[in-house]
Each structure stands twice: as C-alpha cells, then as structure tokens.
Amino acid sequence: MKSKNLILYFVPFIVSGIILYLSLNEDLWLSFWRFLNIPAQLPPFSDLESISRALNGKIDGFNPYYENPYDLKQKPYSYTSIWLTLFDVFKLDNIFNFRIFNFIIIYFYVFIFLKLIYQFNNRYFTTVVFICFFSTSSFLVLERLNIELIIFILIYFISITQVNLIRIPVFLLAIILKLYPIFSVFIFLRNKRLFITMVISSLLVLFFLKDQIYLIMQNSIEYALIFVH
C-alpha cells in the first residue's frame, strides 16, 4: 500500500518536474518532443500561453476576438472569455505563476491516469490506460498544454464526487470553460429531477454564451471545430 501511494503521488511530481524543466530550454524542449515524434511549438505550452497574449491585448484596449496583436500567429482569440478573467485574477500572465499552474495541471493529469490503474486493478484496463497516455494525442496536448487537459481533470473530479453542491458548480464551470462538457450531463441521470434541472441550466449557460460561441466558431480552425466543438 505504501509503495502504491508513493508511486501515485511521487511519479506525477517527477513527470511534471521534468516537463517543466524541459520547457525552460527551447533546444531541450524541441529535441525532447522531436524524439517522441511530436511537432513541438514555441513557446512551450503554446496553447495555454496564447491566453496570456490575448489578455495582454485586452489590457491594451483590443478585443482579442477581432484583434489579437500579441498572438504569435496573429490568430483571433478562440476560447470563452472566462479564461481571460481567470488569467487576470490569478495573474497567470506572470511567468512564475504560469509555470506553477503548468506544473499543477500536468501533475493532476498524470495522477488521474495512475489513479485509474489502481482503482480498477485490471490488466486489460491498465493496457488501455497506458495506450491512451502514451498516445500521440496525449503527448500533443501535454506539449501544447491544451485546455482540454483542464476539462479532463474537472470531469474526472465530477465523476468521483458524490456531493452535488460540488459537482453542480464544477460541471457548469466546465461548460463555461469549453462548451462541450455539456455532454457529461448524464452523470446526473440517477436523479431525474436533478438531471432535468442540469440540462435546462446547461442550455441557459449556452444561451448566455451565444455571442462568444459565434465568435469562437468564426475564429476556430475548421478541423478543430469538427473534432472538438
């Protein structure tokens, strides 16, 4: 039991530390991901870092949905606006805070995979989990630190929590952050009244975000719309 707990909590710490260390050196970063056959981008964790650039534009008076001058590709902002608020409130445009946030995300991502292995304790399930974690898709979202990792963590947290006072706000937050977690509403299906309430609440959230959704659809790359939204 002690050895399992050591692995469960220590391995994610090591993996997070290594990836964060590699991100401090651009040459090491590119070489590492090239070795894994992953098309690395600079700066490291480019997807998440792009929110900081959009925030800088917003602070300077631009609407990043239309003008995003600090983005490296001059690409219009394509996430919900709550990300800008979160980056502003928690000062994630500060490089030190940003790196701590990176570490935490990667830690929990790795932790969840290990937790699933121990929880189910099944050889075939363990094989599937390993394949998923070491897949190209998994490595790619780690390299970019795509916000899907955060959504994955939130949805896992909802699935293991039985306290509705926690599940409900986290579920709604996940929708506001990325829209498509609305499909996880079925976790409330055991309680039909709550399920109907959450379906209605989810639709109301989408209604209030309709303007942002339109802009996101306009600004997103076409293949991303197909596979994500």
Side-chain angles (χ1 to χ4, degrees):
M1 181 62 70
K2 289 184 178 180
S3 61
K4 284 186 177 181
N5 286 335
L6 182 64
I7 292 174
L8 183 61
Y9 293 103
F10 190 64
V11 169
F13 186 89
I14 294 298
V15 173
S16 300
I18 291 174
I19 294 178
L20 191 62
Y21 173 77
L22 292 170
S23 72
L24 303 179
N25 185 300
E26 292 185 352
D27 291 333
L28 284 177
W29 183 258
L30 294 174
S31 297
F32 174 75
W33 293 111
R34 190 182 301 116
F35 174 77
L36 296 176
N37 200 30
I38 301 298
Q41 290 187 353
L42 294 175
F45 310 126
S46 56
D47 280 4
L48 201 62
E49 196 266 352
S50 68
I51 300 176
S52 293
R53 296 179 180 275
L55 176 60
N56 291 334
K58 180 182 178 182
I59 292 173
D60 285 349
F62 296 96
N63 184 337
Y65 284 114
Y66 298 102
E67 296 178 278
N68 198 10
Y70 299 115
D71 186 83
L72 294 178
K73 297 181 180 179
Q74 302 292 295
K75 180 179 174 294
Y77 182 69
S78 58
Y79 299 123
T80 51
S81 63
I82 190 175
W83 286 102
L84 298 175
T85 302
L86 292 174
F87 266 62
D88 190 22
V89 170
F90 294 104
K91 306 300 179 186
L92 296 180
D93 53 333
N94 176 283
I95 187 62
F96 180 75
N97 295 342
F98 183 67
R99 285 171 178 164
I100 292 177
F101 188 53
N102 296 340
F103 182 91
I104 292 172
I105 294 171
I106 298 169
Y107 180 94
F108 278 107
Y109 183 66
V110 179
F111 175 85
I112 289 172
F113 275 91
L114 289 174
K115 185 68 174 178
L116 288 171
I117 289 173
Y118 286 139
Q119 183 176 352
F120 288 92
N121 193 27
N122 179 282
R123 181 172 56 186
Y124 300 107
F125 183 80
T126 298
T127 301
V128 172
V129 170
F130 266 96
I131 292 173
C132 288
F133 182 79
F134 290 100
S135 68
T136 300
S137 299
S138 178
F139 283 160
L140 190 60
V141 293
L142 274 172
E143 189 276 330
R144 307 286 164 84
L145 215 58
N146 194 284
I147 62 175
E148 268 73 11
L149 287 185
I150 300 172
I151 303 302
F152 172 75
I153 293 169
L154 291 177
I155 297 303
Y156 173 79
F157 182 72
I158 295 170
S159 69
I160 64 171
T161 304
Q162 300 301 317
V163 182
N164 286 327
L165 287 177
I166 297 175
R167 298 171 83 192
I168 292 171
V170 173
F171 168 72
L172 294 175
L173 174 63
I175 297 175
I176 296 171
L177 290 174
K178 192 58 181 178
L179 306 178
Y180 66 75
I182 189 174
F183 295 109
S184 61
V185 71
F186 294 103
I187 63 175
F188 300 103
L189 195 56
R190 289 184 179 180
N191 185 325
K192 292 184 179 180
R193 181 177 298 178
L194 179 60
F195 172 70
I196 294 172
T197 300
M198 295 314 301
V199 169
I200 295 173
S201 299
S202 302
L203 294 176
L204 286 173
V205 168
L206 296 184
F207 174 78
F208 287 116
L209 291 175
K210 64 181 185 305
D211 293 336
Q212 293 181 42
I213 294 173
Y214 172 78
L215 292 171
I216 291 170
M217 300 292 282
Q218 291 291 109
N219 295 340
S220 296
I221 302 172
E222 186 173 353
Y223 66 78
L225 291 174
I226 295 172
F227 289 106
V228 178
H229 298 292

